Amino acid sequence: MDWNKSKNIILVILLITNIFLIAVYGGGSFVQKKSENNNAYQYTMNVLEENNIVYKGQIYNKLPKMTTLTVSYGKYDRNLVQKNIKNTRSLPQADRNEPGYKNSADDLIERCGFMSENVVYEGISDDGTSTVASYSNVYKNIPIEECYMRVYFENGRITDFERKWMEVVSEGDSRIEVTSQLSALLEFMTETDKSKQIKVDDMYLVYWIDNYDVDGGILYDTALPAWCIRYNDNDLKYISATVQ
């Protein structure tokens, strides 16, 4: 048996238990609670570093209660989209800037009937060949992963459109506690290759479906709370935030 691996697993179990007891039973003064939380934080950071993981992001003192979401997959008529693209005029040279691209992309999304209060503009990117206006799906300030809309431009004219989307049908009946960041980081640790250093840049709460399957014949699905962990610049890992 690998003693170091077994020791780390035991430490993780003990730490998660301590965090749970602190969260559930509380007790004592504010100073005592703060001290316990600081100890749990420092202990977690030490365990992560021993396993070649460094976390430099923020630890939130208060976490929101979340609900589950019943969602439907956002299928769309590609022929209608292409028709609207053909009816879009090329941007004048003076308008080939971020405001101009955004306005043109917004207009296409509006004409296709995809604009809603959950559509959030993310920005413009340019790879030297095409310019892309990107949008995300956000419900009550919490992202719904992995949804996006992208509008592609070449020489100031819209050439293509992509959409992977979930429409919110309803919320769950009650709000639920989410797991702590420390617990999520420890679970993340157990699923990583410890031979290479991993730098966790940030983590934030999202709604997430483990297996997104728009063509699977499913009318509705359930999006659950999860921690999105961004590491090594662009890699993402989703850890369930639902208390078991």
Side-chain angles (χ1 to χ4, degrees):
M1 178 182 291
D2 187 334
W3 168 244
N4 287 331
K5 183 176 180 181
S6 300
K7 181 180 69 174
N8 285 332
I9 293 174
I10 293 171
L11 290 174
V12 167
I13 293 173
L14 289 173
L15 180 58
I16 291 176
T17 302
N18 288 337
I19 293 172
F20 174 79
L21 291 173
I22 292 170
V24 172
Y25 295 106
S29 66
F30 172 78
V31 174
Q32 181 181 356
K33 289 181 181 179
K34 185 175 181 180
S35 176
E36 290 170 340
N37 289 335
N38 286 340
N39 290 339
Y41 168 80
Q42 193 57 58
Y43 189 75
T44 303
M45 294 303 107
N46 290 340
V47 171
L48 292 174
E49 289 186 13
E50 287 175 4
N51 287 272
N52 228 4
I53 298 174
V54 177
Y55 179 64
K56 297 297 183 182
Q58 182 178 357
I59 296 293
Y60 302 100
N61 293 324
K62 292 184 178 180
L63 297 175
K65 287 186 176 180
M66 296 176 65
T67 183
T68 59
L69 297 180
T70 299
V71 298
S72 62
Y73 292 111
K75 293 185 178 182
Y76 63 96
D77 187 340
R78 297 178 186 275
N79 292 328
L80 174 63
V81 171
Q82 289 302 317
K83 181 179 179 180
N84 279 307
I85 288 176
K86 289 179 180 179
N87 292 333
T88 302
R89 294 181 180 180
S90 179
L91 287 171
Q93 194 68 44
D95 291 335
R96 295 182 187 181
N97 48 38
E98 182 166 2
Y101 286 122
K102 178 183 182 301
N103 289 338
S104 182
D106 283 353
D107 178 65
L108 175 68
I109 292 171
E110 286 275 10
R111 286 187 285 116
C112 291
F114 300 147
M115 189 62 77
S116 72
E117 62 182 2
N118 294 349
V119 177
V120 174
Y121 169 72
E122 293 292 341
I124 296 291
S125 60
D126 194 328
D127 63 5
T129 302
S130 61
T131 301
V132 184
S134 299
Y135 298 78
S136 61
N137 192 356
V138 179
Y139 183 75
K140 294 185 177 179
N141 297 319
I142 298 177
I144 303 177
E145 303 282 278
E146 303 168 295
C147 296
Y148 59 80
M149 285 192 283
R150 298 174 185 145
V151 181
Y152 294 82
F153 295 82
E154 290 184 17
N155 298 319
R157 187 176 184 86
I158 296 177
T159 58
D160 203 0
F161 173 83
E162 290 181 336
R163 185 175 190 255
K164 181 180 177 182
W165 209 257
M166 289 181 285
E167 304 288 354
V168 177
V169 177
S170 63
E171 290 187 353
D173 293 331
S174 60
R175 296 196 171 274
I176 56 178
E177 300 281 354
V178 297
T179 56
S180 72
Q181 288 172 273
L182 300 182
S183 295
L185 285 167
L186 290 172
E187 184 172 343
F188 171 74
M189 181 191 75
T190 66
E191 300 179 11
T192 58
D193 179 2
K194 299 172 184 60
S195 65
K196 300 177 181 178
Q197 186 178 63
I198 294 175
K199 179 185 176 184
V200 177
D201 304 296
D202 194 13
M203 62 188 302
Y204 48 91
L205 286 166
V206 299
Y207 288 107
W208 180 61
I209 291 178
D210 191 3
N211 294 304
Y212 184 104
D213 187 8
V214 69
D215 297 319
I218 300 174
L219 295 178
Y220 301 100
D221 214 329
T222 302
L224 300 171
W227 284 104
C228 178
I229 297 178
R230 182 167 58 84
Y231 64 101
N232 293 351
D233 294 329
N234 295 316
D235 292 330
L236 299 177
K237 177 71 175 178
Y238 297 97
I239 301 293
S240 173
T242 304
V243 178
Q244 300 299 323

